[in-house]
Amino acid sequence: GAVVSQHPSWVICKSGTSVKIECRSLDFQATTMFWYRQFPKQSLMLMATSNEGSKATYEQGVEKDKFLINHASLTLSTLTVTSAHPEDSSFYICSASIPGGRSNQPQHFGDGTRLSIL
Amino acid sequence: AQTVTQSQPEMSVQEAETVTLSCTYDTSESDYYLFWYKQPPSRQMILVIRQEAYKQQNATENRFSVNFQKAAKSFSLKISDSQLGDAAMYFCAYRRISGANSKLTFGKGITLSVRP
């Protein structure tokens, strides 16, 4: 079945550094990928929709300059948390759907990245 | 805008018993899709079941079934013969019919515990 791979699964870094998270569709081409943020015991909050070859669409309240999204190929989208601070610590998840399908096709989720900023 | 409401933050069920998780949603659209996702402690998102709004028949997947009441905008999940592995957070989600790239709108989720 369709698989979405996310890397790294866990990252710890110092405040002020930038962190890049990769999301890959392994056996299909994803023109659109989604990036979510999730705090413990809470729901997934959509941050942005990543579109291959064009600018990402950010949800209201999400800082574009803080969370840089690049979708340069049909199988890879990256989320870069720039100048990360402790409040950016969270669980980040990506997802993608097989293009050309209907909305009843499930989104395939990556396993998530736990980001801890010290 | 569409909203999804899961009003129960937590529920508990005895192993082998049946439990129903509630979900309501609000939309002005007549056709859409609804999903239940499971997130175990590993935090992996797993699709449990999906329902197409234009289908009157309730979806069923083994021990999992839904009670879809379109007029009431209700979409509850019933888990029969509960197992310890069913313990997880469950999210109800809505998706517009605009294609595979349309986004999901999630409810707040409910934490289900299973008592042995």
Side-chain angles (χ1 to χ4, degrees):
Chain A
V3 176
V4 172
S5 174
Q6 192 171 337
H7 178 81
S9 57
W10 196 358
V11 59
I12 303 174
C13 60
K14 293 181 179 179
S15 182
T17 59
S18 293
V19 179
K20 181 184 285 187
I21 302 170
E22 295 185 346
C23 182
R24 294 181 184 273
S25 55
L26 296 185
D27 52 2
F28 66 98
Q29 294 181 328
T31 54
T32 301
M33 292 185 176
F34 301 92
W35 286 97
Y36 299 87
R37 182 174 183 176
Q38 185 183 31
F39 292 106
K41 298 293 186 181
Q42 294 188 23
S43 188
L44 281 70
M45 182 193 78
L46 180 66
M47 298 175 66
T49 302
S50 172
N51 304 298
E52 188 271 334
S54 64
K55 291 182 179 180
T57 304
Y58 289 82
E59 295 299 303
Q60 191 173 11
V62 177
E63 298 177 61
K64 301 178 182 180
D65 296 332
K66 177 72 170 178
F67 300 99
L68 299 179
I69 291 174
N70 183 280
H71 195 154
S73 78
L74 287 169
T75 59
L76 174 64
S77 174
T78 60
L79 168 67
T80 300
V81 183
T82 62
S83 186
H85 292 286
E87 58 266 29
D88 298 322
S89 299
S90 189
F91 190 68
Y92 294 86
I93 312 175
C94 69
S95 72
S97 296
I98 298 175
R102 301 174 62 197
S103 296
N104 68 338
Q105 294 299 314
Q107 288 190 11
H108 301 279
F109 288 85
D111 287 342
T113 297
R114 184 185 297 181
L115 175 62
S116 297
I117 308 299
L118 304 178
Chain B
Q2 295 79 26
T3 59
V4 177
T5 302
Q6 294 179 256
S7 57
Q8 306 156 302
E10 297 179 349
M11 285 196 75
S12 180
V13 63
Q14 189 75 34
E15 193 176 7
E17 297 295 309
T18 296
V19 65
T20 298
L21 310 183
S22 301
C23 173
T24 59
Y25 59 93
D26 188 28
T27 182
S28 58
E29 299 174 340
S30 60
D31 208 2
Y32 44 87
Y33 298 104
L34 298 166
F35 304 84
W36 276 98
Y37 280 89
K38 170 186 178 181
Q39 188 180 43
S42 66
R43 305 191 81 168
Q44 185 181 25
M45 291 292 286
I46 302 167
L47 177 67
V48 175
I49 200 165
R50 57 185 160 182
Q51 175 78 42
E52 292 148 328
Y54 62 87
K55 289 187 177 179
Q56 292 185 340
Q57 187 173 7
N58 289 323
T60 299
E61 290 286 345
N62 300 315
R63 298 184 296 108
F64 300 88
S65 61
V66 298
N67 183 3
F68 173 50
Q69 300 291 327
K70 190 173 183 180
K73 295 181 181 175
S74 171
F75 183 61
S76 59
L77 174 68
K78 185 173 81 172
I79 305 175
S80 303
D81 185 26
S82 297
Q83 301 175 359
L84 295 178
D86 293 334
M89 271 198 90
Y90 287 82
F91 295 98
C92 179
Y94 171 101
R95 195 177 194 186
R96 297 180 66 188
I97 202 170
S98 57
N101 295 329
S102 61
K103 62 184 181 183
L104 284 167
T105 300
F106 287 96
K108 288 187 175 181
I110 179 171
T111 299
L112 177 68
S113 59
V114 181
R115 305 186 302 274

